[in-house]
Amino acid sequence: MGDLLAARLQMAFSLGFHIIFACVGMAMPFLMAIAHWRYIKTGDAVYKDLSKAWSKGVAIFFATGAVSGTVLSFELGLLWPEFMEHAGPIFGMPFSLEGTAFFIEAIALGLFLYGWGKIPKWIHWSSGLVVGISGVASGILVVAANAWMNSPTGFDYDPLTNTYSNIDPIAAMFNPAWFTQALHMILAAFTATGFAVAGVHAFLLIRKPANRFHQQAMRIALLVGGIAAFLQPISGDISAKDVAVRQPAKLAAMEAHFHTEEYAGLLIGGIPNEETGEVHYGIKIPGLLSFLAHGDFKQEVVGLDQIPEDERPPVAVTHFAFQIMVGAGTFLMMVAFLYFFAQRFRPRWLGHKNFLWLVALSTPLGMLAVEAGWTVTEVGRQPWIINGIMRTKEAVTPMPGIQYSFYTVVVVYTLLAVLVSWLMKRQVQTLAQNYDSMDEEIDLSQNKANTKTEVIEEL
């Protein structure tokens, strides 16, 4: 394994691991705040227990995310020193502000965790809301830095001397790609987290259908995840139109669009052959790619044939990742539609095993879509680390043996993932046990009543 590949794989694995915790950190505090608000308004203890359970989950993910995020910061400098030498002074502001948001989030989370019965209820609730707002702010700031890599602005670059001058950190942070990427990422985080949480509780409801703790948890999570799932295609359309202008090579790779043409068709599925420039087994909808990219069915869409060969991103990986992202997102949107329909017109469906299995099977799809989306973002930008300015191979460290640090990261993060999963499982099961006991008492009372009825009927 070469050093460049090892460095890219290590960064990809670290980012892929961290992004799950980042998504949960953005969205789960709002689930916690909704449950807490319902407890304040209704006095129903199940919402208090939900809020407490989710707050402890937020704390676990916050601690793990802090560690994995710190590792990523070190990796930027250790694996890509040439990149950080030039890019650090330009896009360093979002990272410094993200640190501020992180500290605010930590303080607010501490207040929420230890504030039960000690501070006024609305101040306590507000502290939970601040956790979520700070998490979203952190996500936006980090995405702004990544967006700068896709749309570098805020400096002048001289390729002859390889110098960067007239640096404007504000312009770099609010680059042309930051809004579209941030919007898409936030909605993805809420969709993925909402369905992941709903799926876990749905699976537990299959075993304990009358458990109110899991019932209310699933409904709150589906509400948040479902709304985000419906909004996601809108942000996707905005992102597609932006990418078509700024990164035509990425759009061409996403769609395996090899030949420049007007009235370009949108490809569904398909296996691209980069050598022949053909796609097998795909379905094309005529004109739809032109419309989605430019708002005009007849508009020309740039194909890979207009991109120099040494500047083309890997087509197969980008295309498959894009198809996975869209497919998973579409499925989740359909589940969300079914939930809202059942909530309004067929409430009994929500407790049916078929519906619960459908939600349970949706558990990993949101996170899978997030991972696929980041694969599109990063692989689709190749061979550039700074789009159009610095190639990835120019930025990698000259130090040998990167593959060993990659192997170490994989082992450590895998163990950490197992530990976090175990802690979360124990946390949810512990707080749901009271409601399991209540269910058993209800079942016992019902059985006694049925037995008494049968005896009376026999007499």
Side-chain angles (χ1 to χ4, degrees):
M1 181 185 296
D3 289 337
L4 175 59
L5 178 60
R8 290 184 63 190
L9 287 175
Q10 181 174 332
M11 200 72 190
F13 191 86
S14 302
L15 181 58
F17 183 89
H18 175 72
I19 199 171
I20 295 175
F21 299 98
C23 286
V24 174
M26 282 191 275
M28 200 158 182
F30 289 96
L31 301 181
M32 175 184 80
I34 292 172
H36 191 194
W37 179 79
R38 288 189 177 179
Y39 167 66
I40 293 174
K41 299 298 288 186
T42 66
D44 191 338
V46 70
Y47 295 120
K48 180 180 180 181
D49 290 339
L50 262 180
S51 185
K52 283 187 173 182
W54 283 341
S55 67
K56 292 178 180 179
V58 169
I60 292 170
F61 279 99
F62 177 83
T64 312
V67 173
S68 59
T70 303
V71 170
L72 275 172
S73 299
F74 279 106
E75 284 178 343
L76 281 172
L78 294 174
L79 298 177
W80 314 102
E82 186 70 19
F83 166 71
M84 289 304 296
E85 178 183 353
H86 297 292
I90 303 172
F91 79 148
M93 180 177 286
F95 282 123
S96 61
L97 293 176
E98 192 272 338
T100 303
F102 173 83
F103 283 120
I104 294 173
E105 185 179 2
I107 294 169
L109 181 58
L111 284 173
F112 190 85
L113 288 172
Y114 300 104
W116 292 98
K118 299 176 183 177
I119 57 179
K121 60 183 180 181
W122 286 111
I123 294 178
H124 187 209
W125 176 80
S126 298
S127 67
L129 197 61
V130 170
V131 175
I133 294 172
S134 300
V136 170
S138 294
I140 291 174
L141 290 165
V142 171
V143 171
N146 179 267
W148 178 84
M149 297 165 68
N150 291 318
S151 181
T153 53
F155 64 98
D156 292 331
Y157 173 66
D158 185 353
L160 296 177
T161 59
N162 193 30
T163 56
Y164 299 71
S165 59
N166 298 325
I167 294 172
D168 183 350
I170 300 297
M173 184 166 66
F174 295 107
N175 57 82
W178 84 270
F179 175 76
T180 56
Q181 281 196 213
L183 177 63
H184 201 60
M185 184 65 239
I186 292 169
L187 291 174
F190 277 83
T191 302
T193 304
F195 276 94
V197 173
V200 169
H201 290 284
F203 178 76
L204 295 171
L205 273 173
I206 294 170
R207 300 166 58 189
K208 295 286 184 178
N211 188 300
R212 287 194 68 238
F213 180 87
H214 296 311
Q215 286 176 349
Q216 298 308 318
M218 184 187 75
R219 294 188 179 195
I220 292 173
L222 279 177
L223 173 67
V224 173
I227 292 173
F230 275 116
L231 294 175
Q232 190 69 298
I234 299 174
S235 72
D237 180 67
I238 296 172
S239 296
K241 287 179 169 56
D242 182 59
V243 169
V245 175
R246 292 185 300 97
Q247 294 176 288
K250 178 184 287 187
L251 180 67
M254 288 161 55
E255 281 295 320
H257 185 61
F258 289 100
H259 306 290
T260 302
E261 60 183 350
E262 299 177 353
Y263 201 64
L266 180 71
L267 179 64
I268 299 175
I271 301 175
N273 186 325
E274 298 184 49
E275 293 183 1
T276 63
E278 298 176 339
V279 179
H280 303 286
Y281 312 112
I283 300 173
K284 272 201 172 185
I285 303 176
L288 192 55
L289 180 58
S290 292
F291 178 77
L292 292 176
H294 302 292
D296 183 352
F297 285 101
K298 296 182 180 180
Q299 183 72 32
E300 181 181 86
V301 177
V302 174
L304 289 166
D305 57 356
Q306 289 195 13
I307 308 298
E309 287 191 16
D310 64 342
E311 295 181 10
R312 295 178 187 175
V315 178
V317 174
T318 308
H319 175 69
F320 290 141
F322 180 67
Q323 295 292 311
I324 291 171
M325 179 187 70
V326 174
T330 301
F331 182 85
L332 293 179
M333 189 170 62
M334 293 169 60
V335 175
F337 174 81
L338 184 61
Y339 167 71
F340 289 124
F341 177 85
Q343 182 76 13
R344 180 68 178 85
F345 299 106
R346 298 288 190 276
R348 284 193 292 182
W349 286 7
L350 300 179
H352 197 281
K353 277 196 172 183
N354 288 342
F355 178 79
L356 295 177
W357 271 115
L358 184 65
V359 177
L361 292 173
S362 302
T363 303
L365 292 183
M367 294 301 176
L368 180 64
V370 168
E371 299 286 5
W374 272 98
T375 300
V376 172
T377 299
E378 296 304 299
V379 177
R381 189 180 60 244
Q382 298 306 312
W384 307 102
I385 192 169
I386 305 177
N387 190 44
I389 294 177
M390 180 184 289
R391 294 176 183 266
T392 306
K393 64 182 181 181
E394 298 170 350
V396 71
T397 177
M399 293 296 294
I402 301 301
Q403 65 267 30
Y404 300 113
S405 66
F406 166 59
Y407 299 146
T408 302
V409 166
V410 170
V411 172
V412 172
Y413 277 18
T414 300
L415 293 175
L416 192 58
V418 172
L419 176 62
V420 170
S421 300
W422 176 77
L423 287 172
M424 289 301 299
K425 179 183 178 182
R426 189 185 69 168
Q427 182 61 33
V428 172
Q429 288 181 335
T430 299
L431 283 171
Q433 280 177 354
N434 294 333
Y435 296 90
D436 289 340
S437 301
M438 292 170 60
D439 293 342
E440 292 171 2
E441 292 176 5
I442 292 171
D443 292 340
L444 181 61
S445 300
Q446 187 65 45
N447 290 334
K448 287 181 178 179
N450 292 339
T451 302
K452 185 176 181 180
T453 302
E454 291 173 0
V455 171
I456 292 174
E457 288 176 351
E458 289 178 2
L459 293 174

